[in-house]
Amino acid sequence: DDDDDPTCLDWTLHILSLPWKLLFAVVPPTRCCGGWLTFYIALLFIGLLTALIGDLASLMGAAMGLEDSVTAITFVALGTSLPDTFASKTAAVGDPSADAAIGNVTGSNAVNVFLGLGLPWVVASFYWDSGAGDEKKWLEKYCGTSPSAVDTPLSACPNIGFAVPAGDLGISVGVFIGCATVCVGVICLRRKLHGAELGGPMFMRHLSAGIFVSLWFIYVGVSVYLVYK
C-alpha cells in the first residue's frame, strides 16, 4: 500500500538505487519522437552500465586469482544478468501470464548468444582479414610462440583463418545444457500438473524456486570443479 510507512529495507534499496535513478532521470519521456528516442537512449545507458559492471566483475575475479572461465560464469554473469532477473520478476508479478517473464529470459539470452557473440566475431574477422592486425601477435596469442610445434588442432593456425581457442568454456556450456534441460522439464511438468508455469500452490512455488536456484549452484559448482580438478 502506498500509504504505508517505508520499511528499513525500502529505505536501503532506495538509497542504493538512488544514483541509478538520478542517472536515468535524464532519459527523455516517451512522448518525444514517438518513444524511439527514449528507447535508444535507455538502451545506450543500459549497455554502458552493463559494460561497466562486467569490467568491474572481471577485475574482481582477476584480483582474487580466479580463472577467466570461472570469473565469467560467476561475477560477470551475475553482474550482467541481474537486471534481467529483476525485469522478469516485475513481469511475473504484473502480467496475468508467465509469457513475459519467461520470454524476457529466453529473449535476453538469445541476444547474448547471437548478437553478443556474433557481432564481435564478425568485426574481429573483418579486422584480421583486412591485414590491419599484427600477424605475429595473432600467432603468439592464439597459436603459441611456435605455431608449427603446437600439438593441437590449431597447429595449422596460419592456414585455417580466424579462430580463437575455447579454453574451458566447453565444460561450462555442457553443464549449462544439462541444467537448462532440467529447468525446461520442470516448467513443462508444472504446466501439466498445475496448468501454469509460474505460481500455483505455495508448496510448489517454493519447491520450484528451490530447484531453479539449486540448478544455478549446481552449474557453477560443477563447472568450477571441472576447471580446477
Side-chain angles (χ1 to χ4, degrees), residues 150-161:
V150 176
D151 187 21
T152 67
L154 290 173
S155 59
C157 195
N159 301 320
I160 63 176

Side-chain angles (χ1 to χ4, degrees), residues 16-29:
L16 291 175
S17 62
L18 183 59
W20 312 115
K21 292 178 180 178
L22 293 176
L23 176 63
F24 278 85
V26 303
V27 176

Side-chain angles (χ1 to χ4, degrees), residues 121 128-129 134-166:
W121 196 275
W128 286 102
D129 188 59
D134 187 334
E135 185 177 353
K136 183 178 179 183
K137 265 185 193 177
W138 169 268
L139 296 177
E140 288 180 353
K141 185 172 183 180
Y142 296 113
C143 305
T145 54
S146 302
S148 60
V150 176
D151 187 21
T152 67
L154 290 173
S155 59
C157 195
N159 301 320
I160 63 176
F162 182 72
V164 179

Side-chain angles (χ1 to χ4, degrees), residues 56-104:
L56 291 176
S58 298
L59 291 173
M60 178 184 289
M64 295 173 65
L66 299 176
E67 294 285 346
D68 290 342
S69 57
V70 174
T71 302
I73 65 174
T74 52
F75 296 119
V76 176
L78 279 174
T80 57
S81 297
L82 281 178
D84 293 332
T85 303
F86 292 127
S88 292
K89 186 262 183 186
T90 302
V93 172
D95 289 5
S97 71
D99 290 354
I102 296 177
N104 175 69

